[in-house]
Amino acid sequence: MPELPEVETIRRGLDELILQQKICEVKVFCAKSFQGDERAVLGRKIKKLRRFGKALVIDLSGGVSLMIHLRMTGQLIYDGEERYAAGHPSENFVADLPNRQTRVEFKLEKGRLYFNDQRKFGFVKLIQTDQIKKEAFIQKLAKEPWAMTPEELWQKLQKHQKAAIKSVLLDQTVVCGLGNIYADEALFEAKIHPKRQAGSLTIDETKTLLMAMRQVMDVSLQFGGSTMRNYVKADGSRGNYLDLFAKVYQREGQPCANCKTRIVKIKLAGRGTHFCPQCQIGGKND
DNA sequence: CTAGGATCCTGTCAGC
DNA sequence: TGCTGACAGGATCCTA
């Protein structure tokens, strides 16, 4: 369920730990989770970690790369001198590995990197480095909120006139990086109802929304996403983005931070959607 | 072309 | 206790 801040946190964390290490061994426990011939990575060195939206790319020596998408339940856990784990938070972060949710294991020179994924929606894919930009998923990705102007976003929203703004925010070809949490949080910050028709937003509202997207993800990035580093702290407490900063996500029935009205949860675009019915205006059937 | 729903898969939890 | 259905931080495919 990692969204941009979580994947970026993984990228930064692994950057400190696995660069220049050689891949000594690969075990694929679930064929579906590794696309391509895993033997092609043996003996190669990890040269660079890049992120495209929610996808992580690990460039190896010899012109090959691994593209990793965690989708809903993917995790990357590195066991070296100490453990670094990030992605979908779960007990796997502190469990003995590999376990039954481990799909791929990479043995490196100084440690092991596990790709765990309960639901198997995620994957590791072997690609020639020079073909990365031709990957359909990467090619279609829109800009991140920080790189986009309000006018650009507004133009894109015009192409989805009737669709609910919430579902449009989840479309990675409109703006990339948001998932279900940050879409709900950004709409709350911008005081826009998730059911608002995307085409009805004014330029001003679009600008406010764009700033809100940046803001909620900036906060999460600073904090390391909703990830392991803070999952179990030294004192045993479990703080994460959701506990500390989320104002609507998973807060159904709790009082709104602004007006104390109870947060409501509805289903929209097949996803749980949380909002304040008082602060967030303009929904068609609110 | 857009919009909305089904789908991939495993696990957990509420309710009967 | 055992079953059932709903739901879960994503993206794609299919239909209208």
Side-chain angles (χ1 to χ4, degrees):
Chain A
M1 332 210 217
E3 306 178 37
L4 184 150
E6 287 72 42
V7 180
E8 177 60 18
T9 297
I10 293 174
R11 195 196 66 73
R12 292 175 187 174
L14 292 181
D15 216 43
E16 308 275 308
L17 297 168
I18 66 171
L19 281 187
Q20 297 306 322
Q21 287 200 55
K22 205 180 277 182
I23 300 177
C24 308
E25 201 180 323
V26 186
K27 287 183 196 163
V28 176
F29 299 99
C30 172
K32 170 178 201 285
S33 303
F34 194 107
Q35 301 172 22
D37 184 350
E38 69 269 22
R39 289 170 300 186
V41 306
L42 292 177
R44 303 203 189 265
K45 243 183 185 178
I46 295 167
K47 304 302 282 186
K48 198 171 179 185
L49 289 159
R50 294 186 283 166
R51 183 184 55 74
F52 296 87
K54 301 174 195 171
L56 184 72
V57 170
I58 303 179
D59 293 324
L60 306 177
S61 56
V64 300
S65 297
L66 293 168
M67 171 174 161
I68 301 177
H69 201 307
L70 304 175
R71 292 281 180 96
M72 294 284 256
T73 53
Q75 309 166 308
L76 284 170
I77 302 164
Y78 178 72
D79 249 337
E81 286 185 23
E82 52 184 285
R83 180 171 281 200
Y84 179 83
H88 174 63
S90 85
E91 296 306 318
N92 285 337
F93 284 170
V94 291
D96 284 339
L97 296 178
N99 64 12
R100 77 188 143 153
Q101 292 182 356
T102 303
R103 308 305 177 198
V104 184
E105 173 181 342
F106 298 92
K107 183 174 181 295
L108 310 181
E109 291 167 287
K110 298 179 194 165
R112 289 166 198 270
L113 181 66
Y114 300 94
F115 172 64
N116 269 38
D117 185 19
Q118 179 191 113
R119 293 172 75 180
K120 301 183 181 175
F121 292 166
F123 58 86
V124 179
K125 183 175 182 179
L126 181 72
I127 308 176
Q128 297 295 313
T129 304
D130 59 12
Q131 297 295 305
I132 295 280
K133 299 219 160 126
K134 293 185 184 158
E135 270 295 301
F137 173 82
I138 289 174
Q139 206 164 38
K140 289 187 292 186
L141 277 181
K143 293 179 184 171
E144 297 180 357
W146 300 276
M148 189 175 271
T149 66
E151 290 73 21
E152 278 178 283
L153 180 57
W154 188 82
Q155 287 296 340
K156 295 224 179 207
L157 297 185
Q158 298 313 299
K159 296 189 173 169
H160 301 273
Q161 281 294 333
K162 301 284 184 186
I165 184 66
K166 157 77 184 274
S167 46
V168 176
L169 293 186
L170 296 176
D171 183 342
Q172 305 297 299
T173 70
V174 170
V175 55
C176 93
L178 304 199
N180 210 30
I181 295 177
Y182 301 108
D184 281 3
E185 294 299 321
L187 286 168
F188 174 79
E189 292 299 330
K191 299 191 190 312
I192 293 170
H193 195 290
K195 276 192 175 175
R196 267 289 290 283
Q197 293 194 345
S200 76
L201 267 68
T202 64
I203 284 274
D204 273 0
E205 287 174 314
T206 305
K207 183 176 180 188
T208 303
L209 181 55
L210 185 62
M211 296 305 156
M213 295 182 216
R214 295 180 189 173
Q215 193 252 324
V216 295
M217 292 205 290
D218 276 335
V219 168
S220 187
L221 276 166
Q222 264 180 33
F223 197 71
S226 316
T227 63
M228 176 49 183
R229 266 202 181 152
N230 310 294
Y231 186 62
V232 179
K233 290 191 265 189
D235 63 0
S237 65
R238 298 184 169 204
N240 63 31
Y241 176 86
L242 287 182
D243 295 336
L244 301 176
F245 301 107
K247 303 221 176 77
V248 288
Y249 192 80
Q250 282 180 2
R251 296 205 183 279
E252 181 183 18
Q254 296 179 34
C256 166
N258 293 335
C259 74
K260 310 299 178 207
T261 300
R262 286 180 187 282
I263 299 303
V264 167
K265 180 177 181 184
I266 60 172
K267 191 132 193 164
L268 205 164
R271 317 295 301 277
T273 297
H274 316 73
F275 67 100
C276 170
Q278 180 71 33
C279 296
Q280 294 175 254
I281 54 173
K284 212 165 127 197
N285 314 307
D286 56 339

